[in-house]
Amino acid sequence: MDDRQFRNAMGNFATGVNVITTEVDGDVHGMTANAFMSVSLDPKLVVISIGENASMLEKIRKSNRYAVNILSQSQKELSMIFAGQKEADRNVSFDRLGDLPVIKDAPTQISCEVVNEHVEGDHALFIGKVIDINLQGDADPLLFYKGKYSSIENSSVVM
Ligand code: FAD
């Protein structure tokens, strides 16, 4: 099976878009990621998947914590900045959730402590124990589907 076929198949799974944030020695680092899911309700666990070449990998290994910031549809530019697709024309400002930096105005911010890491193929899965959650507003989410950004407005609603 070639890589393109695998990518096309995975791209058919529509997702939201997150920016993962962490901090090492006072330096904040962010990375766009859609490989995220809820793992367990009791205890409350989530998982993210980070590529072996991403600089985020070593940062999370050092900090042992990360925040998941679920973006709204108006935050596409931030997704592009933290995916290295666009240069920021000004400093990105962060809020705090406990001792972690979080993306300002992200409708959902989840702070986690790493409780386990599994290296699988060319990615590492970080299991995060949820420490705190901040829900603010009910803005529609930014979506990612077939390799492109989308929004609920652009999708037909299935009843
Ligand atoms: P860098 O390439 O060093 O950083 C990423 C970008 O963020 C850089 O442009 C950097 O300038 C900027 N940045 C970082 N910190 C700050 C800061 N404090 N202030 C301002 N700018 C900052 N990769 C995965 O491994 N897993 C995924 O689940 C995943 N999902 C993705 C989903 C989507 C929709 C997209 C578009 C990409 C996804 N990627 C994923 C790819 C990933 O976002 C990129 O490969 C990213 O560039 C890798 O980041 P890095 O940690 O190597 O950091």
Side-chain angles (χ1 to χ4, degrees), residues 22-128:
T22 196
E23 189 172 49
V24 177
D25 299 333
D27 284 335
V28 177
H29 189 73
M31 190 196 102
T32 301
N34 63 348
F36 161 73
M37 72 172 190
S38 160
V39 171
S40 159
L41 187 60
D42 184 16
K44 293 181 179 51
L45 302 173
V46 298
V47 64
I48 57 170
S49 176
I50 306 291
E52 64 183 356
N53 296 321
S55 43
M56 181 56 98
L57 190 65
E58 286 310 318
K59 292 182 192 286
I60 292 180
R61 282 178 178 153
K62 280 194 186 126
S63 68
N64 214 40
R65 60 209 168 113
Y66 62 83
V68 178
N69 302 267
I70 303 179
L71 300 186
S72 71
Q73 65 178 26
S74 66
Q75 294 180 310
K76 176 177 153 188
E77 191 186 3
L78 284 174
S79 172
M80 295 180 75
I81 289 169
F82 288 105
Q85 297 169 328
K86 184 180 197 293
E87 246 181 68
D89 47 17
R90 62 199 139 73
N91 277 352
V92 178
S93 54
F94 298 90
D95 281 343
R96 307 289 301 186
L97 181 60
D99 57 1
L100 274 164
V102 286
I103 299 288
K104 206 169 173 310
D105 298 329
T108 304
Q109 303 160 336
I110 306 164
S111 66
C112 305
E113 180 190 309
V114 175
V115 290
N116 231 321
E117 177 187 341
H118 304 270
V119 175
E120 301 293 344
D122 56 12
H123 276 61
L125 308 179
F126 289 98
I127 309 291

